[in-house]
Amino acid sequence: METENRWYCVRQRAGALVKESRSIRPRLSARDSPWEQAEKNKILRPPRDSAVCRTRVDRLELRLALFGYEGSVYTLTFDREHEPEKFQDVRRAWRSFLYQLKKWKGRGFDYVYLIEGRHGDHRYHIHLVLRDSDFSPAEVRHLWKFGSDVDDQPLLRHPHDSYRRTAKYFNKEATDGIVIPIGGRTWVCSRSLVRQLPPAECWRDSEGFIPVPEDVRCKGFYHTANEFGEYRYAWYIEAQKTAFADDFKYESQPWNIAE
């Protein structure tokens, strides 16, 4: 049975996103030559865009996927009158804004936020992801009292867009210790959002093929193999369900793209 089920499989679901990897994993040995180590690591350490959940980008991608098709990304900009001088001032402004959001809504809600301050005109600003059913753009603009410039974009901008684009963007700016203090530049998710992420499914299988439905919004694949093992990875975003009367129809745009 151990020989038959030699593929180690991991599947992670998050909203409409499904990520799965299957691998025959080699074992590293102290007696391996540099070439053998390099070949084995091609299986053991796949590229960053080909892992179910290994990096900060992977983790944020899964959390963003929990917003499904009703997430919006806001950029909240400070005007000159309210422009913060320090990172701690931005934090205080965020906490004040979050309080207003909770007071307006009357209950908890899902969110992801990030404070940035190095690119563009080097002014502090906040990126925020909210669910459309919780807040409209008009409500966000009304509640943001620190400036009149509030930009909003859909989390998925076009048929072949993915949650990973925003996850990469939120992880692009390095902590410099001055503008963004060490340990201070991290995206933050609401606890309500984190609790919605189901655990990963892990099992052994005799097959390395990863099934991907045909009627998906978009999808991507990665595959590598050598004499020491094999690694397969696939991801896809399920097509959006639209209700008409008692039936469901799918808005599907099949695209075959790699991450």
Side-chain angles (χ1 to χ4, degrees):
M1 181 64 68
E2 183 69 24
T3 303
E4 293 179 357
N5 295 336
R6 57 181 184 153
W7 289 89
Y8 179 73
C9 309
V10 180
R11 181 188 297 132
Q12 178 68 66
R13 300 180 184 273
L17 175 65
V18 180
K19 303 178 71 176
E20 183 173 330
S21 68
R22 299 193 179 201
S23 60
I24 300 175
R25 299 168 60 86
R27 292 185 178 181
L28 293 174
S29 170
R31 295 188 295 272
D32 289 340
S33 67
W35 176 82
E36 289 172 327
Q37 289 182 359
E39 289 298 294
K40 289 182 179 181
N41 281 330
K42 290 179 181 178
I43 310 299
L44 297 172
R45 300 176 183 176
R48 292 188 173 214
D49 287 0
S50 301
V52 171
C53 186
R54 187 164 64 92
T55 67
R56 288 184 56 81
V57 173
D58 297 328
R59 292 193 290 274
L60 181 54
E61 177 190 26
L62 294 172
R63 285 151 179 78
L64 292 173
L66 295 172
F67 286 92
Y69 284 91
E70 57 167 352
S72 287
V73 183
Y74 295 89
T75 301
L76 310 173
T77 305
F78 296 88
D79 58 24
R80 293 298 181 183
E81 180 183 354
H82 299 90
E83 186 174 358
E85 295 183 1
K86 299 178 296 184
F87 180 81
Q88 290 76 10
D89 297 332
V90 189
R91 276 271 178 85
R92 280 192 287 269
W94 159 252
R95 293 180 184 128
S96 174
F97 179 56
L98 181 60
Y99 172 79
Q100 294 300 323
L101 290 173
K102 291 180 178 179
K103 183 178 179 181
W104 181 272
K105 193 65 183 175
R107 60 171 174 79
F109 53 89
D110 300 330
Y111 65 84
V112 178
Y113 84 93
L114 168 71
I115 297 175
E116 283 191 323
R118 293 187 60 195
H119 63 277
D121 58 3
H122 295 266
R123 296 174 61 188
Y124 285 112
H125 55 278
I126 299 173
H127 294 295
L128 173 65
V129 183
L130 293 172
R131 199 179 300 277
D132 296 337
S133 57
D134 288 331
F135 296 95
S136 68
E139 288 175 306
V140 175
R141 289 184 173 88
H142 172 71
L143 294 171
W144 177 249
K145 305 298 185 182
F146 301 97
S148 59
D149 189 3
V150 176
D151 177 71
D152 66 280
Q153 297 283 343
L155 183 55
L156 295 176
R157 295 184 180 181
H158 46 76
H160 49 92
D161 194 11
S162 69
Y163 304 103
R164 195 169 188 85
R165 174 186 56 79
T166 301
K168 286 182 176 180
Y169 182 87
F170 273 35
N171 281 278
K172 77 181 189 317
E173 186 173 301
T175 300
D176 65 353
I178 301 174
V179 176
I180 306 296
I182 300 297
R185 186 258 171 221
T186 54
W187 47 262
V188 178
C189 297
S190 61
R191 293 181 181 179
S192 62
L193 188 66
V194 176
R195 287 194 294 264
Q196 296 172 39
L197 185 65
E201 307 166 43
C202 302
W203 74 98
R204 295 275 187 173
D205 206 305
S206 59
E207 296 290 336
F209 174 74
I210 301 176
V212 175
E214 293 185 3
D215 58 339
V216 297
R217 177 188 174 99
C218 54
K219 57 189 174 183
F221 305 91
Y222 175 79
H223 174 231
T224 187
N226 55 38
E227 61 183 285
F228 299 105
E230 189 168 355
Y231 182 86
R232 294 176 179 269
Y233 168 75
W235 67 270
Y236 61 91
I237 298 177
E238 296 172 338
Q240 184 177 11
K241 296 180 180 180
T242 304
F244 294 96
D246 295 327
D247 299 324
F248 286 98
K249 295 185 178 180
Y250 291 84
E251 296 178 0
S252 176
Q253 293 286 344
W255 295 81
N256 186 357
I257 59 175
E259 288 193 18

